[in-house]
Amino acid sequence: MKVQTRVKSAIEERQSIVMIRRGLLEWSAQNPRNLPWKKTEEPYEIWVSEIILQQTRVDQGTEYYFRFLETFPSIKALAEADLDQVMKAWEGLGYYRRAFHMHETAKYLMSEHEGKFPQTHDEIIRLKGIGPYTAAAISSFAFHLPYPVLDGNVMRVISRLFCVDLPVDSSEGRSHLMQRAEQLLDHDKPGQFNQAIMDFGAMICRPRSPVCKNCPLSTYCSANQNDTVNSFPVKRKSKQKKERYFFYLKINKGNQTYIRRRSKADIWQNLYEFYLVEGRGKQSWKDVLHSTNLKIDVVTYSDIYTQALSHQKITARFAEATLHSAEELLFEQGFIKVNQKKLRTFAYPKIIDCYLGDKALNLNSSS
DNA sequence: AATGCGGGGTA
DNA sequence: TACCCAGCATT
């Protein structure tokens, strides 16, 4: 038997667009999602929520959202804070450039924009850290401007509805999806519509095991009709992870420790760390200690810590040591000396945070 | 157009 | 383990 395919007429096409739009809004009204940032139209608060939620699950970001607004309740408060303080609020959340850019933008808005968040899409999208998605989100949620959001949820929903087989991580795919998103958008209530389609993607049209059985759009969904929902969205191959080996020396002098802010173009920019020697492949502490000019006595060696980033696999070892050579060697390299008690007031990568946590635990249990 | 940038939940 | 998450900047 021959598989029947037929091209939809322009009229049918327009009709299904209308039905999908209505279906999304109705589903949203019947299945409201109680998210804290939905309760406000304050641009600053919406901005904070949207930056936090970039590539970050709602469950993971919610606590950060409350704490960030508590610590920095306004553009002014954020602008007047130290970078270290801002990074500390972001510690553990990842993609730390987000925090850096927010801080930069807050300072810019104070000095060049009278501390007010801009109210047009053109101005908003020019701000650091704000791209097409975030600009559309803020524009529609805070100012009711008709810009469609195109995030991971929306791309998944649309690619399934219309069987878009262009890779969603290609510019061609993105522009195709954006066209669809613009067609679908409800221009009278863009904010509501954008919320609806994202919620729908998160709850019904999920990445794995979508709930097609009671999906209100199943009759309009090409992928569902063809029983190919699992082959959308189409993505390119992901790259292999690079392995890196970090040897960290927690160098002490008395009750002080030397730490340094990471400043190179690399992971964990603007977070703090100990003296680092990066090994090439497998290496031992002996090789590493031999390669430094520092006079130190190692007191303890830690277990091995590993952390998987999206693009790198980090293996880290820590050694605690006392310093005998002149401190100047370290100060010249940008290190600062911090009292042990104040150590945790700085922001660290997760792998260092874990090490410090384990160390504190060991001290407690052995005493 | 490709790549780098975190951390965690889930199947 | 691999994939994905309310993406963006840089080259």
Side-chain angles (χ1 to χ4, degrees):
Chain A
M1 184 166 146
K2 221 171 114 182
V3 176
Q4 258 197 11
T5 59
R6 93 190 165 80
V7 179
K8 283 186 179 171
S9 73
I11 292 176
E12 283 175 319
E13 172 109 1
R14 205 176 319 133
Q15 194 64 26
S16 66
I17 294 284
V18 172
M19 296 304 285
I20 290 167
R21 178 186 304 138
R22 187 185 303 165
L24 283 169
L25 287 169
E26 281 175 7
W27 174 86
S28 174
Q30 290 162 12
N31 302 273
R33 231 180 147 193
N34 185 21
L35 301 175
W37 39 89
K38 280 189 179 178
K39 299 185 181 111
T40 180
E41 288 199 359
E42 180 60 41
Y44 174 68
E45 295 179 2
I46 292 174
W47 176 38
V48 171
S49 77
E50 293 304 338
I51 301 294
I52 286 178
L53 292 170
Q54 284 171 6
Q55 292 291 283
T56 304
R57 285 170 302 98
V58 165
D59 290 340
Q60 190 187 358
T62 304
E63 290 309 304
Y64 283 87
Y65 172 72
F66 287 122
R67 210 170 56 236
F68 196 92
L69 285 183
E70 211 171 293
T71 315
F72 314 109
S74 64
I75 295 175
K76 184 165 184 286
L78 180 56
E80 288 173 352
D82 288 335
L83 176 59
D84 285 350
Q85 208 186 336
V86 179
M87 299 312 293
K88 187 64 185 175
W90 213 267
E91 186 182 37
L93 193 55
Y95 285 155
Y96 298 94
R97 288 192 292 219
R98 295 182 290 176
F100 178 77
H101 284 141
M102 277 195 86
H103 189 222
E104 293 291 293
T105 297
K107 288 189 284 186
Y108 165 79
L109 291 177
M110 286 307 291
S111 64
E112 309 292 332
H113 218 263
E114 297 162 2
K116 273 205 63 148
F117 203 90
Q119 304 196 20
T120 68
H121 180 269
D122 284 0
E123 290 175 284
I124 293 170
I125 203 170
R126 265 188 257 124
L127 301 175
K128 279 187 190 172
I130 295 185
Y133 164 76
T134 307
I138 299 174
S139 298
S140 63
F141 298 151
F143 304 115
H144 308 284
L145 298 171
Y147 293 88
V149 292
L150 196 58
D151 73 332
N153 291 309
V154 178
M155 290 194 286
R156 186 171 56 253
V157 171
I158 294 182
S159 70
R160 285 173 177 166
L161 279 173
F162 304 101
C163 286
V164 179
D165 56 6
L166 298 167
V168 295
D169 48 0
S170 69
S171 54
E172 208 185 347
R174 295 295 282 274
S175 75
H176 188 86
L177 292 167
M178 184 54 94
Q179 279 194 342
R180 288 297 197 183
E182 280 167 354
Q183 288 177 3
L184 284 173
L185 180 69
D186 188 321
H187 285 246
D188 294 327
K189 26 191 168 181
Q192 251 182 293
F193 177 85
N194 281 337
Q195 292 280 14
I197 191 168
M198 284 194 289
D199 289 349
F200 181 82
M203 310 295 290
I204 302 291
C205 202
R206 303 183 301 206
R208 278 167 303 198
S209 55
V211 196
C212 299
K213 261 203 160 24
N214 50 25
C215 169
L217 304 183
S218 58
T219 54
Y220 310 107
C221 178
S222 302
N224 183 61
Q225 298 296 311
N226 298 337
D227 202 23
T228 56
V229 172
N230 286 323
S231 41
F232 297 98
V234 174
K235 290 200 176 176
R236 292 208 198 84
K237 290 270 184 250
S238 57
K239 273 197 64 180
Q240 213 194 345
K241 286 182 184 175
K242 184 175 146 193
E243 293 207 40
R244 299 176 75 177
Y245 302 88
F246 288 0
F247 293 82
Y248 274 120
L249 278 169
K250 180 175 180 292
I251 304 175
N252 303 325
K253 193 178 186 78
N255 58 357
Q256 318 239 78
T257 296
Y258 300 92
I259 60 174
R260 175 167 64 172
R261 188 155 73 182
R262 288 178 66 89
S263 55
K264 298 205 181 80
D266 197 355
I267 56 174
W268 303 327
Q269 223 173 354
N270 293 312
L271 299 189
Y272 282 81
E273 66 179 358
F274 304 120
Y275 187 95
L276 169 65
V277 179
E278 182 168 359
R280 291 187 57 79
K282 311 274 180 189
Q283 242 177 330
S284 67
W285 267 117
K286 199 172 175 184
D287 305 324
V288 170
L289 294 173
H290 198 69
S291 71
T292 71
N293 300 323
L294 297 168
K295 280 189 202 156
I296 52 170
D297 283 332
V298 173
V299 183
T300 57
Y301 294 99
S302 79
D303 290 336
I304 292 177
Y305 290 76
T306 63
Q307 184 182 8
L309 282 57
S310 56
H311 50 293
Q312 295 182 20
K313 185 173 179 290
I314 311 292
T315 302
R317 296 167 173 79
F318 296 85
E320 195 155 12
T322 50
L323 180 69
H324 296 305
S325 28
E327 301 181 300
E328 301 308 323
L329 281 171
L330 293 175
F331 292 147
E332 280 167 12
Q333 298 175 46
F335 283 90
I336 59 172
K337 194 164 62 172
V338 184
N339 192 299
Q340 307 263 11
K341 306 268 189 216
K342 293 271 179 71
L343 213 51
R344 300 307 295 262
T345 63
F346 295 84
Y348 301 94
K350 197 67 188 177
I351 202 164
I352 295 180
D353 186 46
C354 288
Y355 163 70
L356 287 173
D358 288 349
K359 212 163 71 67
L361 220 60
N362 289 335
L363 281 180
N364 287 339
S365 60
S366 65
S367 64

